[in-house]
Amino acid sequence: MNPTQPVVRHLVHVHYHGLAPGDPRYPQVLDVLATISARAQALPPDAAVADLTGAERYFERGPEGLAQLIRLRTLAWSGVATTIGAGSSRMLASMAAAVTEPGGITVVDDTDQAIAAFLHPRPVAALPGVGPATARTLTHHGLQTVGDIARAPLATLQRLLGAAAGRRLYERALAHDPRTVTPHALPKTTTVSHAFDRDELNPDEQHRAVLALTHQLGSRLRGDQAVARALTLTVRYADRTSTSRTRTLSEATAHTPALTRNATALFEALGLQRARVRAITLTGELGDVASATHQLTFDPNDSKAYRIETAADRARRRFGPDAVLPAALARRGDR
């Protein structure tokens, strides 16, 4: 190999089928992936990304051969089916996985022609970081596909989206994605999820689901004597795609009003309008309850809210989880 020739990196995005949030098989499938590549990063609750650079030489296989090996080992050792995308960046690998039929493998070759042929026909919403609000802005101005963005002047995108966001989108449309795989231990988390009976378009119902999840999460945290130091809200849509947002809390907490404020802010930041939502998941990254702090205030309502919350928890333990509910959730049974 020519030492001056840049190394082409190959990455895979692995989607694991049938894993619910908190599924005990998730750490198992990550262990399987680690037998192929030492550089693997968990993407809870049901995905992971791995850098195959180095593994190709060790196993004497290209990206497609290694993807087949990952699929075979995962199914044989854990019984979990996979869908895998491979490309020269995290973005390409994840986008390839998103358009792959369940159980299949899609590899985007590392030539400029192959990358453009894959990227340019995709809708703008397929690019990472493009939520419904951004997609509406772009399509309103005639930018329907990734190819349209790649051919648009950078100044136009920056005028529409802002300097930083416009440049980031432009670079992604040109397949520039500097993100690397960062191996780390899977953080301890607790997850609650709400699946709608049908694809839900009503924003009020979506907000009520978020409210219900924060109450479930808060009750679980307090029951486990735990606190959350970060929240991740994941919205899954009818077309199997999903959007996630994460926020580190100003102080680790198990207090439901604080969880509700932060989760609601995460949900509203998505800017969903008429989105066909299939499920919403809220994950709390656990912190050390011994080191958790609470900012003292002179507001008597603050300590009163904590006393009410403690009493409500006692009632739920005695009479069931629905014994005490906010008014917005209590009327749910009347539908």
Side-chain angles (χ1 to χ4, degrees), residues 36-57:
I36 308 296
S37 171
R39 297 187 61 80
Q41 179 177 338
L43 300 176
D46 58 3
V49 62
D51 190 336
L52 302 181
T53 309
E56 294 172 306
R57 178 177 296 183

Side-chain angles (χ1 to χ4, degrees), residues 189-208:
T189 61
T190 186
T191 300
V192 290
S193 184
H194 178 85
F196 293 101
D197 295 334
R198 60 186 183 278
D199 297 335
E200 185 60 71
L201 287 83
N202 188 337
D204 291 337
E205 292 300 320
Q206 296 167 7
H207 275 89
R208 289 177 63 195

